[in-house]
Amino acid sequence: MAGQGLAAGFLQVPTVTRAYTAACVLTTAAVQLELLSPFQLYFNPHLVFRKFQVWRLITTFLFFGPLGFGFFFNMLFVFRYCRMLEEGSFRGRKADFVFMFIFGGVLMTLLGFLGSLFFLGQALMAMLVYVWSRRSPHVRVNFFGLLNFQAPFLPWALMGFSMLLGNSVLTDLIGIVVGHIYYFLEDVFPNQPGGKRLLLTPNFLKLLLDDPQEDPNYLPLPEEQPEL
């Protein structure tokens, strides 16, 4: 019964959050069971472009290390802030949310190549947290009962905690930088004099993923309005 309740609760999670979290957990489980090796997953430009192992462009974002405190810590923040974004500012806009993942993933891959980073899941987590924090500037965050501060400080607190866990600060910095680029292009620049939206979600993603009636700004056409 408990398992059924857990499964039912997980199915209530928004689609993108559910898919990404499940992919991360399943990838880590496959490595733990020795069905896969981290050497098959890490980002390697030579293997991607010379050996056509293109899956590495995706799996670099799915592996958070072996099962342990670091893995569960990262999964907690991935699940929480990915879900809050999808249920908040991206509610009814799955295509825009997926496009944010794609935009962020491309930039992080380029920066990760320059920084010789092999796994970028933690950078993606930092990006999600950064975008949420900038869109929720007045929310107060309780950090494990130790610190209480406003949301925009959360990415930096996470980076400091990541240092204590022995992780690379560069990975978190890349996520924060990419998150800031996305936030600036999506939320700041369009509201400046002469500014406009530069990040336009491709129509095929909207046709594939979006249900117009889930969009909070959706207004039915006259023929769609119910008769009284």
Side-chain angles (χ1 to χ4, degrees):
M1 295 295 293
Q4 291 180 347
L6 185 63
F10 188 65
L11 291 175
Q12 297 300 313
V13 175
T15 307
V16 178
T17 301
R18 185 169 70 240
Y20 180 58
T21 305
C24 293
V25 171
L26 291 174
T27 300
T28 300
V31 172
Q32 196 72 18
L33 295 171
E34 298 184 352
L35 300 175
L36 291 174
S37 164
F39 294 105
Q40 297 172 289
L41 307 174
Y42 76 99
F43 175 63
N44 183 316
H46 174 77
L47 295 177
V48 170
F49 298 108
R50 297 290 180 88
K51 302 293 184 179
F52 304 106
Q53 296 182 9
V54 293
W55 66 82
R56 294 176 184 271
L57 294 171
I58 298 174
T59 56
T60 184
F61 295 101
L62 301 182
F63 184 62
F64 284 81
L67 285 178
F69 177 77
F71 170 77
F72 290 108
F73 174 82
N74 286 322
M75 282 294 95
L76 171 66
F77 278 86
V78 164
F79 182 80
R80 176 177 175 81
Y81 291 98
C82 190
R83 181 174 187 172
M84 286 200 292
L85 277 174
E86 192 170 1
E87 291 181 337
S89 57
F90 286 99
R91 182 168 65 89
R93 299 166 52 220
K94 284 196 289 288
D96 290 341
F97 196 37
V98 169
F99 187 62
M100 185 190 79
F101 270 72
I102 295 171
F103 172 80
V106 170
L107 282 187
M108 280 184 272
T109 300
L110 293 174
L111 293 175
F113 169 69
L114 296 176
S116 299
L117 297 177
F118 301 120
F119 290 105
L120 296 168
Q122 189 176 323
L124 182 57
M125 179 197 73
M127 183 190 78
L128 293 171
V129 171
Y130 184 89
V131 173
W132 174 83
S133 71
R134 294 305 299 263
R135 289 182 171 179
S136 309
H138 303 298
V139 174
R140 294 199 66 81
V141 177
N142 187 301
F143 193 69
F144 293 111
L146 301 174
L147 299 170
N148 195 281
F149 45 76
Q150 288 184 296
F153 293 101
L154 180 58
W156 307 103
L158 278 177
M159 187 174 71
F161 194 75
S162 183
M163 288 177 61
L164 295 178
L165 294 177
N167 296 322
S168 170
V169 176
L170 180 60
T171 308
D172 289 272
L173 278 176
I174 286 176
I176 290 172
V177 167
V178 172
H180 183 72
I181 292 172
Y182 178 83
Y183 170 75
F184 178 80
L185 293 177
E186 185 70 8
D187 293 22
V188 178
F189 183 68
N191 297 314
Q192 300 297 312
K196 62 178 181 179
R197 285 193 66 192
L198 299 177
L199 300 179
L200 301 176
T201 303
N203 285 329
F204 79 89
L205 279 180
K206 293 185 176 182
L207 292 172
L208 183 65
L209 299 173
D210 282 351
D211 179 354
Q213 296 188 27
E214 292 182 358
D215 191 326
N217 299 316
Y218 169 73
L219 291 175
L221 297 173
E223 60 269 19
E224 295 179 306
Q225 296 176 351
E227 295 182 2
L228 299 178

